[in-house]
Amino acid sequence: MTPRGGEMNGHGPVPDLDDLRFQNLVDEAKRRLRQRCPQWSDHNVSDPGIALLEAFAYLVDHLSYRLDRLPEAGMRAYLRLLGITPWPAQPAHGEVEFRRQGLGEKVRQLDKGTRVRTKNQPPVVFGTLRPVVLPGVIALAAEQAVTQTQDGGRTLCSINIDETASVDEIATGASGAWRIFLTTCEAPVELQLLTGDNPLLLSESKWEVWRQGGWNSTAVKTDQTTASIPPQRDTVVLGDGSGRRRHEAHMLRCTFPEPMSMVVTSAATCSPPVPVVQVSPPGAAAPGASGNVPAGAICQLVSEEARSEIRVSNEKATHGGVDEQDHTQALTQGVAPPRRAVTLADHERIVRERTAGIGRVHAMPGTPPFDVHVLIAPATTVHPLTGKDLTPSAELLAHTAHVLDRSRLLGDRIELGGFGVREFGLTVEVKCVASEMPRSPQGGIERELRRYFHPLTEPGLSRAPGTAIRLGEVYRVLGGLRWIDEIESVAFSGASGNAEQVAVASHEIPLLKSLTVTCR
């Protein structure tokens, strides 16, 4: 027979949520009988009580078997009862660039949420997080192919070619200067000059803009192949030579140091990197780790209308996609802290989180008939601290008991109370360095020792109840004070003989009550 933890439910292996079996449960019950009811000595199967235990063990084993077969919705409900919330899927993030190649008379506006995709199936789809503006290049021509006139303050330009001229013929010329006519747009422009599909090197090019009737230098930044053009306002009127088509356009001039040996055939406007996030329309991959695609994987718009004109690319890999946790991962990793107190640390955490006014809490195994013993002390700023200040009020005890009762496991019995306080005193004699000595060396020594042994602040807060107090700790504190030249003697007040330590019970915390300091 296949072990039930390895059986299949149609979606993969069934997780074994509880590996306790019938015999384990019976053996554990018998061990507890010896602790809880020592007078029950007959543990044979013939005993009626043992028969009842075996019956309950069978029912628990059967319920555990059925629990392993819960559907996904039932499993999630079970996790909610435990206070565990699996992490939801996290969509991948990244950046893409849009590139509009060729000549166009209109500005292309891509709205926020424009979807781009990978080529594989099912496609991984991303949506833009902001709108994108791609101005068009209305015309591109060599310097000598442009005729320029003035008409009432307006600059009129025309390209001297007939209507059948191709783009190659428009761009042909030996001049090292080129005119670029952009659609009117007040957005910044990323521009590339192309020969075929290959961008030309622009690192040594000089750029000018037509502004207020003349050529003016402009703050164009160029890298190897891209010119970043700031927003422009001045326009010219561009005609096609026949007078039938006229456009408002921004006019720029790009000059190379030498006449081009390669013909500029076209231009492309590009967007700065646009942030995108993975989305999941029907037929696409679900958000998660599938969205972590390599550089160059995002290659086209989802909309076929603009796909031929606008190209998409991601220069860097996308990242951050995480698949939704299944119930097995949630149980094994403990995604969220449980709302129920299972371990001793759970009892401490729940009291700290849900009870105001708690200065210290410690949970320890209880003594029969209790399963857990919880000790608390109130928060206080009283100085110097006394044992009375560490005693919890009736209201604090009642509220903490209510918190523990709502979070305890069914059947757990909890004993709640305050810490015991082990008060002690110290007598210290030291020699001080006169040049380093503070105004009140006794006060400095007392302040450091009381801070060290304070039960509600560090390092005393980390001291486990029941830890004995040793003279070596006092020597270590005094040794860290630069004005002390020699420690002559350290002793516990009232201790007989050469007592090296003070014993502390398991439910007690130490409290420095009296301190006598002598400085020479």
Side-chain angles (χ1 to χ4, degrees):
M1 180 178 176
T2 304
R4 68 188 187 187
E7 294 179 9
M8 307 292 289
N9 65 354
H11 301 284
V14 177
D16 195 356
L17 299 182
D18 192 347
D19 58 1
L20 288 177
R21 300 292 180 265
F22 169 78
Q23 194 57 50
N24 303 115
L25 294 166
V26 172
D27 293 343
E28 177 63 23
K30 289 181 178 180
R31 280 193 292 270
R32 295 205 177 195
L33 281 179
R34 298 186 184 96
Q35 299 174 0
R36 302 288 180 88
C37 191
Q39 63 272 25
W40 188 345
S41 57
D42 185 3
H43 295 169
N44 295 314
V45 294
S46 58
D47 185 82
I50 297 300
L52 282 174
L53 284 178
E54 291 183 344
F56 287 127
Y58 168 78
L59 291 174
V60 171
D61 188 31
H62 185 65
L63 287 173
S64 176
Y65 181 85
R66 292 176 57 191
L67 181 61
D68 280 358
R69 271 134 197 84
L70 282 177
E72 185 70 20
M75 187 59 66
R76 293 192 177 278
Y78 170 71
L79 292 177
R80 285 197 298 270
L81 288 175
L82 295 179
I84 298 176
T85 304
W87 291 118
Q90 299 295 317
H93 293 259
E95 291 182 334
V96 300
E97 295 179 0
F98 295 89
R99 186 169 182 261
R100 182 184 181 186
Q101 185 171 334
L103 304 183
E105 301 174 0
K106 298 180 180 179
V107 175
R108 290 306 301 259
Q109 173 91 27
L110 301 178
D111 296 331
K112 176 181 177 181
T114 296
R115 293 179 176 180
V116 294
R117 53 163 287 176
T118 60
K119 211 167 188 178
N120 57 294
Q121 294 294 336
V124 181
V125 181
F126 294 82
T128 58
L129 297 179
R130 61 174 175 81
V132 180
V133 177
L134 288 173
V137 178
I138 301 175
L140 172 70
E143 176 76 12
Q144 71 273 16
V146 178
T147 300
Q148 182 176 310
T149 59
Q150 294 293 121
D151 180 15
R154 297 299 304 274
T155 301
L156 305 180
C157 296
S158 62
I159 300 173
N160 297 324
I161 57 169
D162 58 47
E163 296 182 37
T164 61
S166 67
V167 173
D168 288 351
E169 291 172 320
I170 293 175
T172 300
S175 171
W178 298 85
R179 296 278 186 98
I180 299 102
F181 297 90
L182 296 174
T183 51
T184 55
C185 176
E186 295 186 3
V189 179
E190 301 279 331
L191 186 67
Q192 293 178 338
L193 298 182
L194 311 174
T195 176
D197 286 337
N198 300 316
L200 295 180
L201 293 178
L202 301 178
S203 52
E204 296 184 7
S205 61
K206 176 186 176 182
W207 289 78
E208 298 169 288
V209 61
W210 186 265
R211 186 171 59 243
Q212 297 179 354
W215 290 109
N216 294 267
S217 61
T218 182
V220 173
K221 297 180 181 179
T222 59
D223 58 16
Q224 289 293 316
T225 61
T226 303
S228 300
I229 302 170
Q232 302 297 320
R233 293 186 180 274
D234 287 33
T235 62
V236 299
V237 178
L238 173 64
D240 61 1
S242 66
R244 290 195 299 269
R245 301 181 66 184
R246 297 164 67 90
H247 306 278
E248 291 283 334
H250 300 303
M251 183 169 64
L252 297 100
R253 182 165 66 184
C254 172
T255 306
F256 292 91
E258 298 177 359
M260 296 295 298
S261 59
M262 299 181 67
V263 174
V264 179
T265 59
S266 185
T269 54
C270 309
S271 70
V274 179
V276 293
V277 64
Q278 187 183 6
V279 294
S280 56
S290 64
N292 300 326
V293 299
I298 304 174
C299 59
Q300 63 185 38
L301 287 163
V302 171
S303 171
E304 296 183 1
E305 178 184 354
R307 188 181 297 174
S308 60
E309 182 185 359
I310 299 176
R311 300 183 183 181
V312 185
S313 64
N314 60 310
E315 291 190 357
K316 297 180 181 179
T318 57
H319 57 87
V322 179
D323 289 333
E324 181 183 13
Q325 276 193 326
D326 60 28
H327 47 255
T328 306
Q329 293 171 325
L331 282 171
T332 55
Q333 295 180 14
V335 177
R339 292 177 296 178
R340 294 286 177 183
V342 180
T343 66
L344 295 177
D346 290 340
H347 288 82
E348 296 176 359
R349 176 184 56 78
I350 288 173
V351 170
R352 279 194 297 268
E353 291 177 354
R354 305 182 191 179
T355 307
I358 287 290
R360 182 167 183 166
V361 57
H362 178 71
M364 55 195 296
T367 55
F370 295 101
D371 301 291
V372 181
H373 189 187
V374 177
L375 304 169
I376 62 172
T380 179
T381 57
V382 174
H383 180 78
L385 200 62
T386 66
K388 185 178 180 181
D389 299 321
L390 296 173
T391 303
S393 64
E395 292 81 4
L396 184 61
L397 286 170
H399 181 66
T400 307
H402 176 71
V403 168
L404 289 171
D405 185 61
R406 290 175 60 87
S407 61
R408 68 183 177 87
L409 293 177
L410 187 65
D412 271 3
R413 285 166 288 188
I414 301 175
E415 182 181 14
L416 177 64
F419 287 94
V421 177
R422 179 66 169 91
E423 296 180 337
F424 68 100
L426 285 172
T427 301
V428 176
E429 295 184 5
V430 298
K431 283 186 178 179
C432 298
V433 180
S435 59
E436 298 284 346
M437 191 167 58
R439 180 176 301 177
S440 175
Q442 292 93 340
I445 292 172
E446 180 175 359
R447 182 171 57 254
E448 289 300 316
L449 286 172
R450 290 195 181 278
R451 182 191 65 82
Y452 180 83
F453 288 108
H454 198 293
L456 301 183
T457 60
E458 296 294 350
L461 185 61
S462 299
R463 188 189 195 95
T467 304
I469 311 156
R470 294 177 172 81
L471 286 181
E473 298 177 80
V474 183
Y475 279 99
R476 185 165 63 249
V477 174
L478 297 178
L481 303 178
R482 65 178 186 275
W483 67 81
I484 294 181
D485 181 48
E486 181 183 347
I487 303 173
E488 295 186 331
S489 68
V490 175
F492 291 112
S493 301
S496 57
N498 294 323
E500 293 291 328
Q501 66 179 32
V502 174
V504 179
S506 61
H507 67 287
E508 291 182 329
I509 50 178
L511 179 64
L512 180 57
K513 182 179 181 181
S514 61
L515 177 63
T516 302
V517 179
T518 303
C519 296
R520 305 182 191 282

